[in-house]
Amino acid sequence: ALPIAEFFELGANVGVWTVLMNKANPQARVHAFEPNPATYALLARNIKQNNCSSVRLNCAAVSDTEGQLNFQVPGNAAIFGRVAPIGEGVDLEGRFSNANSFMVPSIRLSDYCKAQSITGIYFLKIDIEGHELAALRGIEPYLSQRRIKAIYMETIKENHDRMGTNYSELLRFISDCGYRFYTIAKDDSLDSQV
């Protein structure tokens, strides 16, 4: 028998991608991660209302460490958030200047996959507001062994500036693991390789 396709969504928010991945691939397992408890509750409700099967919901941040991380939620946008910067970030818009902060559980994806007996990931979607490099470092063995078939990442340099992380380091890490990184053009075609 063929192995079950494993789909992952990091930064699932209310689950738009999780629902779509489940409906488009009902035989696959979808693993959704959302650390904000209030948003996680909306995600769980969305999964239930859409009768999604084979979805595993995880109320946790994905990082390169296990334990707890400080998480920030802007006062004016309760369903959004990010892992709080460890270093000096530059938040020119003041998006997180009056954010609510609280601790959330964090996991390493390589440990999660091992515990779930997952040997490969068919599709990995990431939208975690500048914390992408830490999350990818947490699953580096799968990346370096090319056990992740495809990665879709929503990221912009400004999120890394806000976090005090290095966008170029993220791109270099992905490249060093043997992946090519493309931007998607406005017409949904592959644009230039980054």
Side-chain angles (χ1 to χ4, degrees):
L2 292 173
I4 294 172
E6 307 283 356
F7 291 72
F8 279 67
E9 182 175 19
L10 314 185
N13 199 271
V14 298
V16 172
W17 277 76
T18 299
V19 170
L20 290 173
M21 288 188 287
N22 177 256
K23 296 302 181 182
N25 305 282
Q27 287 78 32
R29 281 191 293 233
V30 181
H31 305 263
F33 296 82
E34 175 53 51
N36 180 346
T39 307
Y40 176 85
L42 296 173
L43 166 65
R45 188 168 72 202
N46 192 14
I47 297 309
K48 184 177 180 180
Q49 287 177 344
N50 282 285
N51 297 313
C52 293
S53 60
S54 301
V55 173
R56 177 154 186 177
L57 301 179
N58 299 273
C59 190
V62 176
S63 193
D64 53 357
T65 59
E66 292 226 358
Q68 299 275 310
L69 290 173
N70 191 13
F71 195 78
Q72 297 178 315
V73 176
N76 63 348
I79 67 166
F80 297 110
R82 69 174 183 182
V83 170
I86 295 171
E88 290 295 316
V90 179
D91 187 10
L92 296 176
E93 303 89 11
R95 183 183 294 183
F96 290 92
S97 59
N98 294 315
N100 299 315
S101 295
F102 49 90
M103 300 303 285
V104 297
S106 68
I107 63 164
R108 289 170 35 96
L109 274 186
S110 58
D111 296 337
Y112 176 89
C113 288
K114 185 176 180 181
Q116 301 295 319
S117 301
I118 296 169
T119 58
I121 297 172
Y122 189 79
F123 183 78
L124 173 63
K125 181 263 185 186
I126 308 173
D127 183 3
I128 52 177
E129 307 301 318
H131 199 68
E132 293 85 1
L133 181 57
L136 291 173
R137 283 183 175 147
I139 195 154
E140 188 276 331
Y142 283 68
L143 290 165
S144 61
Q145 296 168 16
R146 302 298 304 268
R147 291 194 277 160
I148 301 175
K149 186 171 176 87
I151 303 167
Y152 174 85
M153 187 176 342
E154 292 183 27
T155 189
I156 56 172
K157 182 183 177 308
E158 291 79 8
N159 282 343
H160 294 273
D161 293 343
R162 287 184 200 105
M163 288 290 289
T165 57
N166 188 309
Y167 185 67
S168 298
E169 190 177 346
L170 169 67
L171 300 180
R172 199 169 30 258
F173 179 82
I174 292 168
S175 177
D176 288 350
C177 287
Y179 290 83
R180 290 181 298 215
F181 196 40
Y182 293 88
T183 59
I184 297 177
K186 290 181 180 182
D187 66 358
D188 293 334
S189 66
L190 285 182
D191 202 1
S192 58
Q193 184 173 349
V194 178

